[in-house]
Amino acid sequence: GVAISTYAKYCYNKLQKAALTGAKKGLKKPNIEEIRHAKNAVFNPSMFGSSLQDIVAMQKERYPDRQLPWVQTRLSEEVLALNGDQTEGIFRVPGDIDEVNALKLQVDQWKIPTGLEDPHVPASLLKLWYRELEEPLIPHDFYEQCISHYENPEAAIAVVHSLPRINRMVLCYLIRFLQVFVQPANVAVTKMDVNNLAMVMAPNCLRCQSDDPRVIFENTRKEMSFIRVLIQHLDTSFMEGVL
């Protein structure tokens, strides 16, 4: 007894999002579990493509004491558990798309399956989660400040501390996570130095709203520099032990 308009609104929103970000990619046809999950998605919102506020609300009953999204911390932990910090090309090399899609389905059921072997799979899904947030991790209202202060550590850090609390916490957790990977001993193996990490992560944190290719091109460099400055200079020690 669900109104057709409920499904129509949900499908319309999904189509709008697909028009902006592109359709889900995969080599295989959807399996029965994926179809069942899609049918129920209107009643069980996904942790992908939602706002940070909605994601925290979703987990309130299950994880009432968590300050950070479970999906963020759990996938990050899985990358490290699979020795992602000792894996060449981590965050640059994509995981198998069908394995990533399968993991996404599991995560939306609050599960991380045992037996994962390739750290590129949770790493790819983690990037996807940041990229698909309804509003970018660094909200649009702060975008101009970021690209204005892309070479000024003090000003860049001030922008971070002016973010809404949930955005600030999630961003600081991400930066602390990336700071693990820029340790020289890890870079020697992963070949992912601070410049490479900033390049692959900046588009998942900041979204340029201009349609002008020249503006987009110029701002891409500034976005990367802003994230690089945070990785190098942001003190994230206060995040130790925070979940």
Side-chain angles (χ1 to χ4, degrees), residues 2 8 24 39 48 75 77 97 116 136 140 146 170 199 222:
V2 181
K24 173 182 162 184
K39 285 171 67 178
F48 296 83
L75 285 172
E77 290 164 355
I97 189 65
L116 286 178
H140 294 303
C146 294
V170 170
M199 181 170 63
K222 295 176 180 178

Side-chain angles (χ1 to χ4, degrees), residues 145-201:
Q145 294 178 56
C146 294
I147 61 169
S148 297
H149 301 309
Y150 68 96
E151 288 183 316
N152 183 333
E154 191 174 321
I157 289 167
V159 174
V160 173
H161 289 301
S162 70
L163 295 175
R165 184 177 185 278
I166 184 62
N167 298 76
R168 183 174 72 252
M169 295 286 285
V170 170
L171 177 60
C172 288
Y173 183 93
L174 169 60
I175 297 300
R176 185 170 178 79
F177 178 62
L178 296 177
Q179 286 169 343
V180 171
F181 292 85
V182 297
Q183 300 304 313
N186 292 337
V187 174
V189 181
T190 66
K191 309 294 192 289
M192 294 294 289
D193 62 13
V194 67
N195 294 311
N196 293 330
L197 287 169
M199 181 170 63
V200 296
M201 284 299 180

Side-chain angles (χ1 to χ4, degrees), residues 11-238:
C11 293
Y12 177 71
N13 289 337
K14 294 290 281 186
L15 285 169
Q16 276 191 314
K17 202 165 290 179
L20 290 172
T21 62
K24 173 182 162 184
K25 297 178 179 65
L27 301 177
K28 295 187 260 185
K29 293 179 181 178
N31 59 35
I32 294 297
E33 189 180 1
E34 288 176 312
I35 293 169
R36 190 179 297 123
H37 182 72
K39 285 171 67 178
N40 292 329
V42 68
F43 310 109
N44 300 294
S46 173
M47 283 181 273
F48 296 83
S50 296
S51 69
L52 287 175
Q53 292 78 7
D54 287 346
I55 292 166
V56 171
M58 280 180 218
Q59 69 184 35
K60 202 69 181 169
E61 189 174 330
R62 199 177 295 258
Y63 299 112
D65 298 325
R66 279 184 176 259
Q67 300 182 60
L68 293 163
W70 171 87
V71 57
Q72 177 194 27
T73 58
R74 193 62 192 83
L75 285 172
S76 301
E77 290 164 355
E78 194 64 22
V79 173
L80 294 177
L82 294 173
N83 297 314
D85 57 350
Q86 294 291 301
T87 301
E88 185 170 341
I90 193 69
F91 297 117
R92 178 180 56 78
V93 175
D96 177 86
I97 189 65
D98 290 311
E99 288 186 39
V100 173
N101 288 339
L103 180 58
K104 182 179 181 183
L105 198 67
Q106 293 285 304
V107 166
D108 257 338
Q109 296 168 15
W110 305 94
K111 301 172 192 168
I112 300 283
T114 55
L116 286 178
E117 296 179 358
D118 182 3
H120 294 303
V121 172
S124 294
L125 188 59
L126 183 61
K127 281 171 56 183
L128 181 71
W129 179 76
Y130 287 116
R131 188 166 67 251
E132 287 194 346
L133 283 171
E134 192 173 274
E135 185 178 40
L137 179 51
I138 298 175
H140 294 303
D141 290 349
F142 297 84
Y143 182 84
E144 290 300 327
Q145 294 178 56
C146 294
I147 61 169
S148 297
H149 301 309
Y150 68 96
E151 288 183 316
N152 183 333
E154 191 174 321
I157 289 167
V159 174
V160 173
H161 289 301
S162 70
L163 295 175
R165 184 177 185 278
I166 184 62
N167 298 76
R168 183 174 72 252
M169 295 286 285
V170 170
L171 177 60
C172 288
Y173 183 93
L174 169 60
I175 297 300
R176 185 170 178 79
F177 178 62
L178 296 177
Q179 286 169 343
V180 171
F181 292 85
V182 297
Q183 300 304 313
N186 292 337
V187 174
V189 181
T190 66
K191 309 294 192 289
M192 294 294 289
D193 62 13
V194 67
N195 294 311
N196 293 330
L197 287 169
M199 181 170 63
V200 296
M201 284 299 180
N204 304 314
C205 300
L206 291 151
R207 291 182 208 157
C208 180
Q209 291 187 288
S210 174
D211 293 325
D212 186 334
R214 291 169 299 179
V215 173
I216 295 170
F217 180 77
E218 179 63 21
N219 284 8
T220 296
R221 178 179 62 85
K222 295 176 180 178
E223 292 166 8
M224 286 165 45
S225 181
F226 181 80
I227 297 300
R228 181 174 66 241
V229 163
L230 295 187
I231 296 172
Q232 291 173 320
H233 298 282
L234 182 64
D235 180 3
T236 59
S237 58
F238 73 99

